[in-house]
Amino acid sequence: MNNIRVRFAPSPTGPLHIGGVRTALYNYLFARKYGGSLILRIEDTDQARFVPGAEEYIIEALAWLGIRFDEGVHIGGAHAPYRQSDRKPLYRQHVDRLIADGWAYCAFDTPEALDARRREYERQGKTFQYDAATRGAMCNSLTLPEEEVRKRLNDGAPYVVRFKFPADTQITVNDLIRGTVTVNSGQSDDKVLFKSDGMPTYHLANVADDHAMQISHVIRGEEWLPSAPLHVMLYRALGWEDSMPQFAHLPLLLKPDGNGKLSKRDGDRLGFPVFPLQWRDPASGEVSSGYRESGYLPQAVINMLALLGWNPGTQQEKFTMQELIDLFSLERISKAGAKFDLKKAHWFNHEYLMEQPVETIAGWFSETLKGKNLSADPARVARVCRLVKERVNFVSEIWDQASFFFVAPESYDPAAMKKRWKENTPAVMRDVRQLLESLPVFSGQAVHDALQAYAEERSLGMGEVMIPLRIALTGGTFGPDLQEIADVLGREEVLRRTDGILKNRE
Ligand code: GLU
């Protein structure tokens, strides 16, 4: 494919939803696969919905995930500026042309007049729509005398510019995922293209910029499919139909149970983030969790998102970014919504965590230790991480698996004690203590051999010896190999903990 140019065009109305991240990812994969360009354009024409910090958030989140742009608001490029509010003068000329060519008109209806009209329709059990059938009875440049229109415009009367949908034209949208969608223009309302505040609406700005930035493919969420016929008509009206981009509308991201779209509220309610980074709402101060702060690795998030709506056609589940680039195709995107799968998200994180050098994991876990005012030799922390990492999906879970390496248990799991601490156990543990104290060399292997010999000599099961010692050292019956635990703790600590449990039981 030649001259592939795609864009990610978020509106800075809050934190970027994970569905938006997936849209950015698919655009990125598509651009990279075909040697094209990816553009980051900020669509901030709706000033009422502008949220401070959202643009910075979007840039930081995508950078964290490794989604790189070739042009954009943060890096510039041949089609700058990339923020729509900085492109304001460009849109006016398109609107003027549409009006001059009879494709748009000025509407002076006040909000009160529109409301009254809506209520009047409601009373008759109908829904009012500003369209080919009703525009003739409204207050606009099609119904008012020319003189009056000029006067109102000169007087600075507030007005919006609406698109004049033809009464009966078939509009065809060729969607690369959904196939051909045809709608009749008569069903469409005359969408506002330009607002009384002098700003274009999303529709006009989006089409004008996609044209100006020579976008070849518009890959975006399914929620924009209903707008596509208007966009096709705008390309036609502006004389750009020949170079109109191709459309691909991505399936929705659904709640884990498949019942409806994954919404901003779902995440913290169902126990997983719906935003890439943590977000503090500047107005309410409300904090929403993010994948990064929840301990997800960017590779895991990318891998998980790549498969939510696209599949490679094989059983392979783990992909590097480069593999995704090589395999990605719009043909393999499904039409059906993709269910978010929390277990899968955890599994991916586990997989990518295991790929990290143990020193890196240890470095992250050291932060947890620091937070608890514990310090430990880096080599020891690394050793502990090596022993427990298989059991965790997140670095934050290492503490639950390994706290006993750093602090002696203060209590013992009651269920384990009930089951494993028998009448003869104190005597056995006293013997074990002595044995371990007198070992010429204290090592995991030596501990193991000594306990085995002792159990055999006394005709005891290994469990009768090992499990009480494990409880003494860890507080429960979990954890890695006992001889490894003993080796890491060292003789002194093992004896201290054995004394501890014996004392506790007295
Ligand atoms: N600004 C729109 C959004 O926030 C972009 C839609 C599109 O890609 O055309 O989703």
Side-chain angles (χ1 to χ4, degrees):
M1 274 194 242
N2 292 329
N3 293 333
I4 295 298
R5 288 179 58 81
V6 290
R7 83 303 192 269
F8 180 54
S11 297
T13 54
L16 182 59
H17 185 272
I18 200 75
V21 176
R22 188 196 56 176
T23 300
L25 173 65
Y26 286 10
N27 274 284
Y28 172 78
L29 298 176
F30 188 72
R32 284 292 159 278
K33 170 152 185 161
Y34 297 107
S37 299
L38 174 62
I39 292 126
L40 178 61
R41 183 173 76 220
I42 297 294
E43 300 205 326
D44 61 345
T45 54
D46 191 350
Q47 300 284 298
R49 295 183 63 216
F50 176 82
V51 173
E55 182 180 314
E56 293 76 6
Y57 176 100
I58 291 166
I59 293 168
E60 190 182 340
L62 297 171
W64 175 64
L65 289 160
I67 297 174
R68 312 245 175 269
F69 291 83
D70 302 287
E71 296 167 33
V73 70
H74 55 318
I75 46 176
H79 297 273
Y82 292 93
R83 189 182 294 110
Q84 288 186 327
S85 57
D86 296 336
R87 300 173 66 82
K88 215 171 145 184
L90 294 167
Y91 306 117
R92 181 75 231 189
Q93 66 197 48
H94 300 312
V95 174
D96 289 341
R97 192 145 66 86
L98 288 171
I99 296 175
D101 293 348
W103 280 106
Y105 59 93
C106 301
F108 300 98
D109 316 85
T110 60
E112 296 75 31
L114 286 170
D115 259 1
R117 193 52 63 102
R118 271 186 215 112
R119 279 199 302 276
E120 181 192 318
Y121 269 66
E122 266 164 34
R123 273 196 300 275
Q124 299 168 27
K126 294 191 287 190
T127 311
F128 174 70
Q129 182 170 283
Y130 209 124
D131 59 16
T134 62
R135 65 170 83 105
M138 303 300 290
C139 184
N140 54 48
S141 56
L142 304 172
T143 57
L144 294 172
E146 215 174 295
E147 189 71 2
E148 172 68 14
V149 172
R150 207 168 306 130
K151 185 172 176 305
R152 287 190 183 216
L153 294 178
N154 284 340
D155 292 351
Y159 69 97
V160 297
V161 178
R162 289 182 179 271
F163 187 68
K164 193 177 158 200
F165 260 112
D168 184 18
T169 298
Q170 295 297 101
I171 311 171
T172 299
V173 179
N174 287 315
D175 188 275
L176 294 170
I177 297 168
R178 266 142 234 283
T180 302
V181 184
T182 303
V183 294
N184 190 286
S185 61
Q187 298 159 2
S188 310
D189 64 324
D190 288 352
K191 283 274 178 328
V192 173
L193 301 179
F194 214 75
K195 294 172 288 182
S196 46
D197 64 359
M199 274 291 208
T201 57
Y202 154 72
H203 303 292
L204 180 77
N206 186 268
V207 166
D209 286 345
D210 281 347
H211 174 73
M213 295 176 184
Q214 297 170 357
I215 297 303
S216 63
H217 294 74
V218 167
I219 304 171
R220 63 184 171 192
E222 187 184 277
E223 63 273 27
W224 299 106
L225 189 60
S227 302
L230 168 63
H231 296 181
V232 169
M233 284 305 287
L234 278 171
Y235 282 104
R236 190 174 302 170
L238 288 160
W240 301 333
E241 214 174 358
D242 288 352
S243 59
M244 183 168 74
Q246 290 192 267
F247 293 101
H249 289 92
L250 305 174
L252 293 175
L253 273 192
L254 304 175
K255 295 181 207 296
D257 63 6
N259 273 330
K261 195 174 153 180
L262 187 62
S263 78
K264 297 190 179 188
R265 301 255 158 247
D266 287 330
D268 286 328
R269 189 171 60 81
L270 299 171
F272 58 87
V274 284
F275 301 118
L277 315 179
Q278 192 180 74
W279 167 258
R280 176 184 289 275
D281 187 89
S284 67
E286 191 191 341
V287 175
S288 307
S289 65
Y291 279 87
R292 183 177 65 183
E293 292 72 13
S294 303
Y296 283 86
L297 295 170
Q299 302 94 312
V301 179
I302 289 290
N303 203 147
M304 166 190 92
L305 284 179
L307 294 177
L308 284 176
W310 170 85
N311 74 81
T314 63
Q315 294 302 309
Q316 186 179 345
E317 290 192 291
K318 265 187 80 188
F319 300 92
T320 62
M321 192 70 110
Q322 191 55 51
E323 285 174 313
L324 289 173
I325 292 169
D326 295 341
L327 292 165
F328 188 75
S329 74
L330 292 176
E331 292 78 52
R332 298 214 68 91
I333 292 177
S334 70
K335 291 193 191 64
K339 276 190 246 169
F340 183 88
D341 183 344
L342 185 59
K343 270 209 200 102
K344 203 85 222 196
H346 288 180
W347 179 80
F348 275 123
N349 210 57
H350 175 83
E351 289 293 308
Y352 286 100
L353 192 58
M354 291 312 101
E355 282 184 7
Q356 298 296 318
V358 75
E359 292 73 21
T360 306
I361 300 176
W364 292 329
F365 180 55
S366 297
E367 293 301 313
T368 310
L369 292 177
K370 240 188 253 160
K372 296 183 185 296
N373 278 327
L374 294 166
S375 63
D377 162 45
R380 184 160 186 268
V381 178
R383 191 160 172 214
V384 168
C385 288
R386 187 173 291 114
L387 288 175
V388 302
K389 70 187 176 94
E390 266 304 333
R391 298 160 189 259
V392 305
N393 297 325
F394 297 92
V395 171
S396 60
E397 292 169 352
I398 295 180
W399 176 252
D400 298 336
Q401 295 294 331
S403 62
F404 59 83
F405 283 111
F406 306 93
V407 281
E410 281 171 4
S411 60
Y412 306 96
D413 174 7
M417 288 305 278
K418 193 160 177 253
K419 207 162 150 211
R420 300 296 189 167
W421 197 269
K422 301 275 154 60
E423 236 182 87
N424 67 338
T425 307
V428 170
M429 288 303 279
R430 273 192 291 274
D431 290 347
V432 165
R433 190 205 185 282
Q434 214 163 27
L435 259 173
L436 300 184
E437 192 178 21
S438 61
L439 279 178
V441 178
F442 188 92
S443 70
Q445 191 61 51
V447 170
H448 175 265
D449 295 347
L451 295 183
Q452 193 168 33
Y454 170 77
E456 267 167 29
E457 188 191 306
R458 298 292 170 98
S459 305
L460 293 167
M462 271 303 262
E464 289 178 83
V465 184
M466 300 284 239
I467 294 175
L469 181 61
R470 177 182 285 279
I471 300 173
L473 301 186
T474 69
T477 48
F478 68 108
D481 213 41
L482 184 63
Q483 70 184 66
E484 297 282 2
I485 298 174
D487 204 85
V488 173
L489 291 176
R491 179 173 354 227
E492 230 176 279
E493 187 61 21
V494 169
L495 296 181
R496 195 175 307 133
R497 292 188 187 189
T498 314
D499 290 342
I501 199 164
L502 284 166
K503 198 146 180 283
N504 182 281
R505 292 291 110 183
E506 268 169 13

